[in-house]
Amino acid sequence: MVVFIGSDHGGYELKEQIKSFLEEIGVDVEDLGTYSPESCDYPDIAQKVALNVAKSKEKGILICGSGIGMSIAANKVEGIRCALCHDAYTAEYSRRHNDANIIAFGGRTTGVEIAKQMVKIFLFTEFDGGRHERRVEKIGKLEA
Ligand code: RB5
């Protein structure tokens, strides 16, 4: 498993903390920026992470100030189901019911311990399939 991670300046500090956490638990992480706390534009980073996730079929993590801009931008890329999550429940069900392949959250709204918990749940929870498969396929058809 390799996880693609990205943030803008609003999520930079939390990205660095989540990167260290992933390394600690033995998950390979590829950091696609931003690489400093200087101001930058979240759609540029969302695009990089989303394209890598769509191509590789691996998972991604996006962090901006609120998580909102990143999730809106990432969901414009074909094959991406980016879930804006706030707690363990939303992280778990983004995988179980929506087969989300990117999790987004806010560096200004989410504490580091909640973020670590959400990331772990997101990475290691499987899609339930079954009736949810049909619904996720319908989401894919909206891209056509
Ligand atoms: C940047 O100030 C902020 O707008 C951005 O990080 C994000 O929260 C957008 O949705």
Side-chain angles (χ1 to χ4, degrees):
M1 177 198 291
V2 57
V3 175
F4 297 98
I5 193 166
S7 76
D8 70 353
H9 53 287
Y12 174 73
E13 196 183 325
L14 186 54
K15 170 172 71 70
E16 294 303 302
Q17 292 169 311
I18 293 299
K19 236 169 66 181
S20 303
F21 171 66
L22 290 171
E23 284 158 7
E24 265 166 46
I25 64 170
V27 172
D28 288 338
V29 52
E30 194 167 326
D31 184 357
L32 299 175
T34 186
Y35 303 115
S36 83
E38 297 308 307
S39 182
C40 66
D41 296 338
Y42 61 82
D44 299 335
I45 305 291
Q47 183 186 26
K48 283 185 192 167
V49 169
L51 289 174
N52 275 276
V53 167
K55 192 172 169 198
S56 65
K57 312 282 183 215
E58 299 282 353
K59 293 196 182 81
I61 300 169
L62 283 168
I63 314 167
C64 58
S66 62
I68 296 170
M70 283 293 196
S71 56
I72 292 172
N75 278 315
K76 299 289 181 192
V77 173
E78 195 176 339
I80 294 303
R81 290 176 300 282
C82 177
L84 174 57
C85 294
H86 294 99
D87 49 33
Y89 182 89
T90 47
E92 178 180 343
Y93 280 86
S94 76
R95 290 289 312 132
R96 290 186 56 187
H97 284 192
N98 311 114
D99 199 18
N101 48 15
I102 299 181
I103 184 171
F105 44 86
R108 297 174 184 154
T109 58
T110 305
V112 63
E113 294 306 323
I114 299 285
K116 286 183 197 173
Q117 185 187 35
M118 292 196 301
V119 163
K120 207 165 168 187
I121 291 168
F122 177 75
L123 295 181
F124 299 108
T125 301
E126 296 297 324
F127 179 42
D128 280 357
R131 66 188 186 281
H132 303 293
E133 188 93 56
R134 180 182 72 242
R135 295 163 185 167
V136 168
E137 275 169 18
K138 286 188 178 184
I139 294 174
K141 286 188 186 143
L142 294 174
E143 291 172 341

